[in-house]
Amino acid sequence: MSDNALYVSYNTVHKLVKSLSERLLDSGYDPEVIVAIGSGGFIPARIMKTFINRPIYAVGISYYGVDNKHRDHPTKIQWIDEVKSQLRGKKVLLIDEVDDSRVTLAYCIGELLKYEPEEIAVLVLHNKRKEKDVEFPSEIKRYFSGMETDDVWIKYPWDAVEIEEHTAKEEA
Ligand code: G4P
Ligand code: MG
């Protein structure tokens, strides 16, 4: 770790997802579909597919405007009609990279619950130990985080311009 940020390599992401897939199975939850929250949830969701082999539906939500400032509320930037018909009555695994303020996650869950899935389980690579701005809806009974972290900025490998430097910083 350096720059007071937590550097995370692709290998670490892969291993976190693998161990999460094992905990998911141990818990007895057998999701029928994966919903990935873009863009940070895309790569973790694809890796999860390697372990649980379920179809992935992608939704795009952003809590930031083009000026990189917070909007008043999260906004759908991509939402496929297919999601609606594919979730009804199903066991869903919702994947994102980080549980930070929880605002984006909770908003997304609220939208997906409208489609009346049987259950939504939430899975994130990292959960920041901090006071959350919102709580999950009461329908959320299963929550998996790969790692609990302090309230620091996490640097994911897909944001790196120089991947070797990024990976070396994880080990530093
Ligand atoms: P939450 O519900 O998942 O807690 O997300 P929150 O609204 O608090 O976060 C807003 C955005 O900030 C999200 O990105 C989230 O991924 C990103 N974010 C929060 N903490 C970190 C961090 O430590 N490192 C990185 N790299 N990103 C973080 P987004 O607007 O959904 O965009 P995207 O980056 O996923 O495309
Ligand atoms: Mg995100």
Side-chain angles (χ1 to χ4, degrees):
M1 205 182 12
S2 53
D3 311 349
N4 214 14
L6 179 65
Y7 283 78
V8 179
S9 68
Y10 278 117
N11 277 8
T12 296
V13 170
H14 207 102
K15 288 181 207 164
L16 279 176
V17 174
K18 183 176 189 219
S19 92
L20 280 161
S21 73
E22 290 162 359
R23 283 169 49 202
L24 190 69
L25 292 183
D26 287 349
S27 79
Y29 193 67
D30 188 8
E32 295 162 278
V33 298
I34 295 169
V35 174
I37 305 180
S39 61
F42 289 166
I43 293 172
R46 176 57 188 86
I47 298 171
M48 182 59 78
K49 181 169 183 273
T50 297
F51 298 106
I52 69 170
N53 194 25
R54 294 290 181 269
I56 301 176
Y57 297 94
V59 297
I61 294 182
S62 183
Y63 196 13
Y64 289 100
V66 280
D67 54 359
N68 246 1
K69 299 246 172 65
H70 261 143
R71 299 174 201 262
D72 295 343
H73 54 82
T75 316
K76 287 179 191 165
I77 52 176
Q78 179 201 19
W79 201 268
I80 307 166
D81 283 346
E82 191 79 347
V83 173
K84 184 170 182 175
S85 55
Q86 294 300 332
L87 295 203
R88 189 173 305 279
K90 298 259 177 70
K91 292 199 197 77
V92 176
L93 181 62
L94 183 66
I95 301 185
D96 206 348
E97 87 281 40
V98 59
D99 178 353
D100 181 24
S101 72
R102 210 167 259 183
V103 171
T104 303
L105 272 167
Y107 169 78
C108 186
I109 291 164
E111 293 301 302
L112 297 177
L113 283 170
K114 294 178 184 169
Y115 306 147
E116 301 177 344
E118 183 183 322
E119 186 174 342
I120 298 176
V122 176
L123 184 147
V124 293
L125 298 178
H126 297 99
N127 174 40
K128 294 192 196 175
R129 278 184 298 256
K130 63 192 280 188
E131 189 151 338
K132 306 294 181 179
D133 291 349
V134 293
E135 281 312 314
F136 290 130
S138 58
E139 287 90 340
I140 301 303
K141 309 283 189 218
R142 294 175 205 258
Y143 173 83
F144 303 89
S145 83
M147 190 187 286
E148 304 283 305
T149 72
D150 290 336
D151 188 9
V152 294
W153 191 253
I154 303 167
K155 300 260 198 178
Y156 289 101
W158 45 83
D159 284 323
V161 175
E162 296 297 340
I163 192 62
E164 300 290 357
E165 279 175 24
H166 179 98
T167 306
K169 279 185 178 163
E170 179 187 60
E171 285 147 19

